[in-house]
Amino acid sequence: MDDWWMLLDVSDQSSLNLRQKIVGALDQVETNELHRTIRMAIAENKVDSLMHDITQAEQLNSLSPIMMEQISRALILDKQIDAAVELLFRGQAIYPADFGIAFGLASSLHLYVEPPNLEKAIAYYRVAVAIEPRNPGGFLNLGMALSDQGDYLDALMAFDRAIELDDRYAHAHNGRGVALKYMNDLDGAIKAFREAIILDGDYDHAPN
């Protein structure tokens, strides 16, 4: 499962390592001069100067979904959130059945846009899990967004589905605990939080 969207840290301390991962991913998919130009721009932290060229319609149509996804991640690292979201919206129109584009768009709207656009994020998370209904990460993030919106019952259902797909998914158990806590099922919440800690001894998100 790809946790990059949830774990992207836009701080200077970790951005270099993440940028190197993005460049490494692009090494596997570059096939033409445009792709090589994109790879070098990301490696040299010159994404801003690149965006004018690649957002032209004919250029976008020549990019694969994974290229669009990696570029949007680099834009987020450069704190260009609006540009990343615009690119993903346009990518979703070109590739409506691609999980990575739908999930990346939802995650950007949920985790990086200020303030979060939860309504659209939830809609695109639902698109993502419809495309890949056996991807626990999709259901985890859907549950997180629903919980942030205060829809704890639907959030619980999403977390439960993530756990059905991967019963060792500590994040999903913790999310389940949060939903149960706000539904006033404290015994159930404590059990879920304990399960998260058992599954991941270094887990630092579960309340004491």
Side-chain angles (χ1 to χ4, degrees):
M1 191 201 104
D2 186 347
D3 279 328
W4 280 18
W5 286 108
M6 187 170 67
L7 300 178
L8 270 179
D9 184 345
V10 295
S11 67
D12 292 338
Q13 181 177 4
S14 64
S15 64
L16 177 60
N17 182 48
L18 285 166
R19 190 178 302 281
Q20 289 171 343
K21 287 185 179 180
I22 290 169
V23 171
L26 290 176
D27 276 338
Q28 302 175 37
V29 297
E30 64 176 59
T31 58
N32 58 35
E33 187 59 34
L34 174 62
H35 292 184
R36 286 187 284 275
T37 300
I38 291 168
R39 178 194 178 283
M40 291 303 299
I42 293 173
E44 297 172 7
N45 197 15
K46 296 178 180 177
V47 178
D48 190 38
S49 62
L50 177 71
M51 284 308 295
H52 174 74
D53 295 330
I54 67 170
T55 53
Q56 304 305 308
E58 63 274 13
Q59 298 278 42
L60 279 179
N61 289 337
S62 73
L63 295 179
S64 67
I66 191 170
M67 289 291 291
M68 291 187 179
E69 188 183 351
Q70 302 294 354
I71 294 166
S72 64
R73 287 172 171 171
L75 287 167
I76 288 174
L77 288 177
D78 288 338
K79 302 180 177 63
Q80 299 184 56
I81 309 303
D82 290 345
V85 170
E86 179 185 358
L87 178 60
L88 288 165
F89 266 123
R90 296 177 69 175
Q92 210 276 331
I94 297 169
Y95 300 108
D98 185 80
F99 173 85
I101 294 288
F103 186 78
L105 177 55
S107 298
S108 298
L109 292 166
H110 176 203
L111 301 173
Y112 301 106
V113 168
E114 293 291 345
N117 189 330
L118 291 176
E119 183 177 354
K120 285 188 177 179
I122 289 166
Y124 283 105
Y125 281 136
R126 292 195 188 281
V127 170
V129 299
I131 294 168
E132 288 194 13
R134 299 197 63 78
N135 188 312
F139 286 99
L140 170 71
N141 276 38
L142 173 60
M144 288 167 54
L146 288 165
S147 187
D148 288 345
Q149 185 175 254
D151 188 350
Y152 299 114
L153 181 58
D154 281 353
L156 183 63
M157 293 172 63
F159 292 130
D160 283 346
R161 179 58 180 152
I163 292 167
E164 286 178 15
L165 293 168
D166 181 358
D167 62 3
R168 299 191 59 78
Y169 202 175
H171 287 298
H173 286 280
N174 183 72
R176 189 173 193 277
V178 171
L180 289 169
K181 174 186 172 184
Y182 284 104
M183 294 170 69
N184 293 317
D185 182 353
L186 298 183
D187 289 341
I190 290 169
K191 181 179 179 181
F193 291 140
R194 285 177 173 166
E195 187 66 24
I197 293 168
I198 289 169
L199 290 170
D200 184 350
D202 295 326
Y203 197 77
D204 61 359
H205 301 289
N208 293 324

